[in-house]
Amino acid sequence: MQSALRLARWEWFRLHHRIPFLVLAGLAFVIPLLSLVVRAVQQTGWLPTLGDSGYFEVAAGSLAIVSPILAIVLSSFTHANDLQNGACRTLTARGASREAVIAAKSLVAAALLLGFHLIVLVAAFLFASALDPHFSGWQAGTGSVFASWMVSLLYLGLGIALSQWQQSGSFTVGVGISIIFVEAIFYPVANGLGSLQNWPVAEVTAWTLWGISRGLPGDNGILSAAWYIPISIGYIAGLAVLGAAAFRKFDLRAGSD
């Protein structure tokens, strides 16, 4: 455990000095911030409003779009790229166990995703306290923000598992984001066709990553949001075990391989 914590501190030191990571973090925060700004402008009457959603709901909605992609890219930064350039092999050659290496990288990535969600939640709180006289929707919105963090952990696990396949950052990002977009486009269409033909398509897609990402915030009427909490924990644990098992089994690439 102590070895994993030491590696986690080193991982964070390396990560927050990488310019691409800092650019990614800034771009990821810009999207929720812009959504809050647009909601504030709509409240002034300068833009036509698209609904009466509060700032917390707006923040949660933007996070639902951003956080899965951020998790996939973060898994590439913390894991796939280090497999590709031989950094993981160097760590194990210096005596670190493979279990400690993958635990440290996963811990740092999960903590960063939590920090990102908390920063967006604080931003929503500041907008709401300054501009919303009723301060409405904070209970449901706060729950949705933390549900979004759990969803991001699902895709983080997916990204770490994909990292083992080709040990390539570009492969992990390409396949991971492709899965997100295919799910977002294909499953709603399949559900619509299933409802027209009375096929149980919605019941099946409710158990996919896309279904869980909708169910945790309470958007899916098939199962209540509470049921998705243990389901999502099971998925996260399964993906973590899969990624760790592959990391232990496969050869680690040297930087020149």
Side-chain angles (χ1 to χ4, degrees):
M1 183 63 180
Q2 291 181 348
S3 175
L5 292 177
R6 286 196 299 270
L7 287 172
R9 288 194 292 268
W10 171 241
E11 184 69 27
W12 165 242
F13 176 81
R14 293 174 59 236
L15 193 60
H16 83 278
H17 282 84
R18 293 180 178 178
I19 299 301
F21 167 72
L22 297 177
V23 172
L24 168 69
L27 290 175
F29 179 66
V30 163
I31 295 176
L33 183 61
L34 282 178
S35 68
L36 293 171
V37 170
V38 170
R39 180 67 186 93
V41 174
Q42 288 178 336
Q43 190 173 353
T44 64
W46 294 353
L47 289 176
T49 182
L50 299 178
D52 57 354
S53 297
Y55 290 98
F56 291 95
E57 292 93 339
V58 169
S62 62
L63 283 172
I65 298 172
V66 174
S67 62
I69 298 175
L70 177 62
I72 291 292
V73 178
L74 190 57
S75 70
S76 174
F77 271 110
T78 59
H79 199 70
N81 286 345
D82 282 354
L83 284 167
Q84 182 175 344
N85 62 28
C88 288
R89 184 170 179 173
T90 300
L91 288 173
T92 57
R94 291 176 178 175
S97 68
R98 294 196 181 196
E99 291 79 6
V101 170
I102 195 170
K105 291 179 177 298
S106 301
L107 178 64
V108 169
L112 286 170
L113 289 169
L114 177 60
F116 173 70
H117 283 75
L118 290 176
I119 290 172
V120 174
L121 184 61
V122 170
F125 174 84
L126 294 175
F127 272 84
S129 60
L131 301 171
D132 188 353
H134 304 292
F135 206 75
S136 61
W138 68 269
Q139 298 97 331
T142 301
S144 295
V145 168
F146 282 99
S148 174
W149 177 59
M150 293 192 70
V151 170
S152 71
L153 294 183
L154 282 170
Y155 286 94
L156 176 66
L158 174 64
I160 291 176
L162 288 172
S163 298
Q164 313 302 323
W165 191 351
Q166 296 291 329
Q167 298 190 11
S168 166
S170 58
F171 175 85
T172 300
V173 172
V175 174
I177 293 180
S178 296
I179 290 174
I180 292 172
F181 278 99
V182 167
E183 286 183 324
I185 295 171
F186 174 75
Y187 287 160
V189 174
N191 287 349
L193 293 175
S195 63
L196 292 176
Q197 300 294 328
N198 292 322
W199 294 336
V201 178
E203 284 77 3
V204 175
T205 59
W207 301 95
T208 64
L209 293 181
W210 175 82
I212 294 172
S213 68
R214 292 179 63 242
L216 270 172
D219 296 337
N220 196 325
I222 300 169
L223 297 173
S224 65
W227 279 105
Y228 277 99
I229 295 176
I231 294 171
S232 63
I233 291 174
Y235 267 69
I236 292 168
L239 287 168
V241 169
L242 177 63
F247 188 63
R248 287 195 301 268
K249 180 179 179 180
F250 295 156
D251 291 334
L252 298 180
R253 177 184 297 179
S256 59
D257 290 350

